[in-house]
Amino acid sequence: MQEAALRWMFDGIWDKSEHYAKKPKRSEKPILRAENITVKFGEIVAVDNVTVEVKQGELLAIIGPNGAGKTSLLNVISGFYKPVTGRVLFKGRDISKLPSHKRVELGLSRTFQHSQLFLGMTVLDNIIVGLFPWRKTSTLKAAFWLGAAKKWEEWAREGVEYVIDLLELHEYRYRIVGSLSPGLQKRVDLARALVQNPEVVLMDEPMAGLTREEKEDLARAIIEVHETRGTTFVMVEHDLEVVTDIADRIVVMDSGRVIAEGVPEEVVHNPRVIHAYVGG
Ligand SMILES: Nc1ncnc2c1ncn2[C@@H]1O[C@H](COP(=O)(O)OP(=O)(O)OP(=O)(O)O)[C@@H](O)[C@H]1O
Ligand SMILES: [Mg+2]
């Protein structure tokens, strides 16, 4: 009885610990496809009929000058913006109509360009917030089922410990996030996404505002997750050095369109890309 109640209340998180051990294979199969996406803000066409496909286990970078439409595209994929045209396919399934928390439950997590962390809370609590889409209970129910709530917390903490380990956040676990350096805050943001045990992580400028050393630390963490867990990454990033270093493939956007895509060496020498960056 107790177990059935637990399953009902914490549906989805139940077998989470097993999930953390899984390592999906790299494959040519697309895991994610944003198809013919158009986003408008009044007269502004932020994204203009863009199609981007991401292969399973790939580390794809999206680059482009300011205002190119990169964040708008990520917002469509993660369910924060509704496009005027197009659809989003995740593992072959059309998820266009799903709200963002449902996409998280399916395995599509994200980090943010501008911090969405709770600056007054500890690192630990900020990471636990990442697990809330699975917490199918209200405070009232939790009060009735104290034992169950406790169990949930145990599971949650297991996942949390895993990401704290992975991102080497031990010494900061009880620190208030607002007191940490931008580099550590970005790591907490990534930890909050990774605790959701995603198959795909969308990252919006994870390196922005970081020192060189912090960038190297974060890049190492991303590579570690990518290689050991086979997690697929889509990373919007301005730092071309980081991008060419760690990305398998690059998509370049400018004025709402995709102007180039390919392996890093190809893309950075593409005259259209150079023109978009350096200007006319
Ligand atoms: N919420 C919004 N309301 C109105 N216009 C918006 C909004 N979000 C983005 N835009 C506009 O849409 C275009 C694309 O913006 P977006 O933020 O997607 O670009 P970006 O490539 O992420 O740029 P950056 O590198 O500066 O982050 C820009 O012209 C921007 O001003
Ligand atoms: Mg942006």
Side-chain angles (χ1 to χ4, degrees):
M1 170 58 200
Q2 175 79 341
E3 187 165 317
L6 281 168
R7 278 184 185 278
W8 168 69
M9 288 172 75
F10 308 116
D11 171 38
I13 196 89
W14 184 261
D15 50 0
K16 199 143 190 73
S17 47
E18 282 167 41
H19 284 188
Y20 282 112
K22 265 189 202 156
K23 185 183 171 190
K25 284 208 184 74
R26 252 175 122 109
S27 114
E28 284 303 300
K29 241 173 84 183
I31 188 165
L32 180 69
R33 183 177 161 86
E35 196 175 85
N36 303 115
I37 304 293
T38 300
V39 178
K40 287 187 183 169
F41 298 103
E43 293 298 298
I44 299 170
V45 184
V47 181
D48 190 1
N49 196 29
V50 163
T51 297
V52 171
E53 201 166 81
V54 190
K55 297 185 191 100
Q56 176 152 347
E58 189 174 36
L59 204 162
L60 177 76
I62 302 179
I63 65 169
N66 293 118
K70 307 177 298 292
T71 296
S72 301
L73 180 64
L74 280 203
N75 282 343
V76 168
I77 296 172
S78 54
F80 284 78
Y81 285 173
K82 197 174 174 316
V84 284
T85 69
R87 57 182 195 153
V88 179
L89 300 172
F90 181 59
K91 297 196 275 185
R93 171 180 173 190
D94 188 344
I95 58 165
S96 311
K97 298 249 174 341
L98 297 183
S100 52
H101 69 273
K102 287 280 174 207
R103 300 185 196 201
V104 170
E105 285 182 34
L106 289 179
L108 187 58
S109 298
R110 71 168 294 177
T111 68
F112 294 87
Q113 181 169 1
H114 304 291
S115 171
Q116 306 282 321
L117 295 169
F118 296 100
L119 297 179
M121 281 164 49
T122 63
V123 167
L124 197 62
D125 288 340
N126 267 278
I127 298 173
I128 289 174
V129 167
L131 287 169
F132 276 20
W134 284 271
R135 195 173 192 175
K136 304 255 195 295
T137 184
S138 65
T139 321
L140 206 62
K141 275 185 200 153
F144 274 115
W145 293 93
L146 265 183
K150 215 160 166 257
K151 191 76 190 160
W152 182 83
E153 212 153 303
E154 267 169 40
W155 285 318
R157 281 186 195 273
E158 193 178 319
V160 171
E161 290 314 315
Y162 172 79
V163 292
I164 283 181
D165 231 22
L166 199 67
L167 293 170
E168 294 174 8
L169 286 166
H170 295 282
E171 59 184 296
Y172 309 105
R173 59 197 300 139
Y174 299 117
R175 290 275 296 275
I176 298 296
V177 163
S179 73
L180 301 178
S181 71
L184 282 166
Q185 290 191 17
K186 291 279 186 183
R187 242 151 74 190
V188 176
D189 196 13
L190 181 59
R192 186 172 64 171
L194 290 178
V195 81
Q196 297 171 334
N197 193 32
E199 285 181 62
V200 177
V201 182
L202 310 168
M203 291 186 294
D204 199 353
E205 299 203 24
M207 305 290 168
L210 306 199
T211 64
R212 191 174 182 82
E213 207 187 339
E214 287 175 330
K215 283 182 188 181
E216 281 168 9
D217 283 349
L218 189 61
R220 258 196 300 275
I222 293 166
I223 292 168
E224 160 119 13
V225 177
H226 181 237
E227 296 197 340
T228 59
R229 301 198 35 76
T231 309
T232 305
F233 282 94
V234 180
M235 178 173 74
V236 167
E237 184 50 54
H238 275 295
D239 188 320
L240 290 187
E241 210 181 321
V242 170
V243 165
T244 48
D245 241 21
I246 72 174
D248 296 317
R249 199 162 59 90
I250 301 179
V251 165
V252 190
M253 290 182 72
D254 186 25
S255 307
R257 302 212 171 117
V258 172
I259 59 160
E261 62 182 294
V263 295
E265 309 83 77
E266 248 169 52
V267 164
V268 292
H269 293 113
N270 182 323
R272 275 190 85 182
V273 177
I274 295 167
H275 185 268
Y277 268 89
V278 182

